[in-house]
Amino acid sequence: MGTVHAKSLDPLPMHGRDLGVHPDDLVELPEPEQESKQEILENKAVVVQHVNVQGLGRTKEDLLGYEISEVFHAKNLIDVMKKSHIARQKLLRLGIFKEVEVLIDTSEGSDALPNGLDVTFEVTEVKRLTGSYNTMVGNNEGSMVLGLKLPNVFGRAEKLTFQFSYGTKETSYGLSFFKPQPGNFERNLILNLYKVTGQFPWSSLKETDRGASAEFNFPLGVTNHTLKWEGVWRELGCLARSASFAVREESGHSLKSALSHTVSIDSRNSAIFPSRGALLRINQELAGYTGGDASFLKEDFELQLNKRLFWDSVLSASLWGGMLCPIGGQPSSIADRFYLGGPTSVRGFGMYSIGPQSEGDYLGGEAYWAGGLHLYTPLPFRPGKGGFGDLFRTHFFLNAGNLCNLNYGEGPRAHLQKMAECLRWSYGAGIVLRLGNIARLELNYCVPMGVQSGDRICDGVQFGAGIRFL
């Protein structure tokens, strides 16, 4: 539940025209000749003698060898088409080509075999410099984003990106360098330099971060891993003159150097409206051992399970949790603690307005948990089915959670008892709108329960926008 300041590169687009010939198109054959042609396509052995790539400018040929090598292993014509199509998708995924066309022809020349084939990929490279303008939705905030990209900087699918973002609560700019491993695009290195200025009205706090990070992403079996180092100079200040003394005490400069590891397993069929599958994400962060004046160990996890029921309805259950343990006797910083509450977590409560507070300013906590149970259904009477109406869902929800500070001198039983005390929960119903496959909007009617002294509630209609929901 904190804000990730280092902006990673977006997933690379996969645009381009379809293959001129695709295996799925091979069904419209004249009836009398269908058996003979099908036999030729499926049973006649062929040999791919040459694979050519035309249209290269600054791209290095050795990079493409990893992506198209499987074409040489094709055994018949249909296999050639399938492997060529897969190779085309891999080339587009690199983000360095605007178009990729595939041509398959019989081999020619003195070394041509009777059953030899030549496969040619005709590519169009993207421009050396591209610009973009778009809007971005965060957790209950929006931003305007301007970007400049230099794709394929050194000829092996590297990308250099400069991005400026101006939002309702946050303004940032950063420089990012992306380098994939040739032949294994999911294994990549990302370097970031950034400055982020954010406002946190629930804490009467403003924060300016200037930092650098390096992260290495790689798959391992069914899991995906991220190893990251981040060094950040943080400047905390009061957002309002009425800020509490506890927030004023936190004001000033600090330096954090942290190592983190994230592992995730995601079998969901959609990130926004999943109807089946599960997600497990575990993150560990260790600060202080590589320098800086912030020292802590932080662990948090996210679990989500989805099950399709009758009439296209889906039952979804989520569980979040985390603990922060200061190291060396130093108190934790307000910038590192967890926050809970609002339309993206425990609905019916104000944004991050659960837990420890001082004079109306919420200070966050060192331990939290939150759970949610949802029943998603199509809109009543299914208006716009198969089109615009499929972007909407109705949902009924039950949320619960708690945020507090723990005395680490006590045992696990005392910790569990503390986490179970002062339980906040809520229930309600609403409408959900999917924005692409990256974000969603919610308009809910909420009934908060278990309200504690100092909590801020939103009894009735509550609006939320974000990319991560409980």
Side-chain angles (χ1 to χ4, degrees):
M1 314 243 4
T3 303
V4 179
H5 299 307
K7 300 294 190 292
S8 298
L9 294 178
D10 296 331
L12 297 175
M14 293 175 57
H15 299 303
R17 293 200 290 269
D18 293 332
L19 285 173
V21 182
H22 189 279
D24 295 340
D25 299 331
L26 296 173
V27 294
E28 298 295 335
L29 296 174
E31 191 66 31
E33 303 178 10
Q34 182 152 353
E35 290 186 5
S36 59
K37 288 191 175 182
Q38 191 73 15
E39 182 181 355
I40 292 174
L41 294 175
E42 291 184 350
N43 299 328
K44 184 177 180 181
V46 298
V47 176
V48 178
Q49 292 189 261
H50 306 98
V51 177
N52 306 305
V53 182
Q54 298 180 355
L56 295 182
R58 59 188 186 277
T59 304
K60 308 297 183 183
E61 291 186 6
D62 60 299
L63 170 70
L64 306 183
Y66 296 99
E67 312 299 335
I68 64 178
S69 59
E70 283 297 315
V71 177
F72 284 104
H73 300 146
K75 302 301 182 183
N76 55 60
L77 186 56
I78 288 183
D79 203 19
V80 172
M81 294 180 187
K82 289 180 178 179
K83 284 181 167 28
S84 298
H85 179 70
I86 293 172
R88 174 181 178 269
Q89 297 301 324
K90 289 182 177 180
L91 293 175
L92 288 170
R93 183 183 58 173
L94 295 174
I96 60 178
F97 300 122
K98 183 168 62 175
E99 292 183 353
V100 177
E101 300 281 352
V102 182
L103 300 177
I104 302 173
D105 201 355
T106 55
S107 295
E108 296 180 354
S110 58
D111 62 341
L113 299 175
N115 61 341
L117 294 178
D118 290 346
V119 179
T120 302
F121 293 88
E122 296 182 350
V123 301
T124 304
E125 294 183 338
V126 296
K127 297 179 180 178
R128 292 182 179 272
L129 177 65
T130 62
S132 63
Y133 165 79
N134 52 61
T135 56
M136 183 171 63
V137 177
N139 284 333
N140 239 35
E141 63 177 300
S143 303
M144 176 191 70
V145 182
L146 302 175
L148 289 176
K149 296 181 182 179
L150 281 75
N152 209 17
V153 181
F154 302 117
R156 291 185 173 88
E158 305 89 353
K159 182 162 65 171
L160 188 66
T161 303
F162 174 78
Q163 186 168 280
F164 171 76
S165 172
Y166 180 80
T168 54
K169 296 174 185 173
E170 184 178 283
T171 300
S172 67
Y173 56 85
L175 186 66
S176 181
F177 176 73
F178 172 82
K179 169 65 177 175
Q181 177 183 323
N184 194 342
F185 189 77
E186 290 80 10
R187 182 174 294 182
N188 54 70
L189 176 69
I190 301 175
L191 305 176
N192 290 290
L193 292 172
Y194 61 89
K195 178 182 177 181
V196 181
T197 300
Q199 298 181 357
F200 310 97
W202 48 85
S203 301
S204 299
L205 181 74
K206 62 180 179 181
E207 179 180 354
T208 299
D209 292 351
R210 303 170 181 88
S213 69
E215 63 181 81
F216 177 54
N217 302 287
F218 62 97
L220 186 62
V222 297
T223 63
N224 290 294
H225 296 256
T226 298
L227 294 174
K228 182 177 180 180
W229 169 83
E230 182 178 29
V232 55
W233 167 25
R234 304 184 295 192
E235 181 181 356
L236 304 180
C238 297
L239 187 60
R241 298 179 62 183
S242 59
S244 64
F245 182 73
V247 174
R248 294 179 185 274
E249 277 189 316
E250 299 271 3
S251 298
H253 297 263
S254 66
L255 184 64
K256 184 181 86 166
S257 177
L259 297 171
S260 65
H261 170 247
T262 302
V263 57
S264 63
I265 304 174
D266 192 352
S267 62
R268 300 173 299 172
N269 60 337
S270 170
I272 303 301
F273 283 163
S275 59
R276 64 177 185 275
L279 166 70
L280 175 62
R281 183 181 292 115
I282 302 173
N283 181 71
Q284 305 95 28
E285 182 180 6
L286 178 63
Y289 279 80
T290 53
D293 51 20
S295 297
F296 61 84
L297 175 64
K298 190 175 183 180
E299 303 264 352
D300 63 280
F301 74 91
E302 176 183 358
L303 175 65
Q304 183 186 102
L305 304 173
N306 302 280
K307 176 68 175 177
R308 183 188 293 273
L309 304 177
F310 49 87
W311 296 331
D312 288 337
S313 60
V314 176
L315 183 65
S316 178
S318 299
L319 181 64
W320 298 352
M323 293 182 65
L324 185 151
C325 181
I327 297 175
Q330 293 183 345
S332 61
S333 168
I334 192 173
D336 296 317
R337 298 180 197 132
F338 299 105
Y339 292 84
L340 188 64
T344 61
S345 56
V346 182
R347 296 162 179 81
F349 290 81
M351 194 70 179
Y352 299 146
S353 63
I354 289 177
Q357 55 96 20
S358 174
E359 302 175 36
D361 292 334
Y362 295 90
L363 308 178
E366 295 178 351
Y368 88 100
W369 71 271
L373 191 64
H374 294 259
L375 177 63
Y376 295 96
T377 66
L379 292 176
F381 309 111
R382 306 295 295 268
K385 181 180 179 181
F388 184 71
D390 288 344
L391 299 178
F392 292 87
R393 292 286 190 278
T394 56
H395 78 135
F396 304 89
F397 63 86
L398 174 65
N399 296 155
N402 195 13
L403 176 77
C404 61
N405 292 316
L406 300 178
N407 183 351
Y408 289 99
E410 300 174 343
R413 180 173 294 182
H415 293 168
L416 292 175
Q417 184 177 354
K418 185 74 176 292
M419 295 291 287
E421 292 175 351
C422 306
L423 175 67
R424 285 85 163 178
W425 62 285
S426 64
Y427 64 91
I431 297 177
V432 185
L433 169 63
R434 174 171 60 88
L435 299 177
N437 203 34
I438 57 172
R440 77 188 207 186
L441 306 179
E442 287 190 6
L443 183 64
N444 299 317
Y445 186 86
C446 308
V447 182
M449 306 293 288
V451 180
Q452 305 297 315
S453 175
D455 291 347
R456 226 173 259 152
I457 64 171
C458 184
D459 190 0
V461 177
Q462 187 178 38
F463 174 78
I467 56 177
R468 180 172 178 251
F469 282 81
L470 178 67

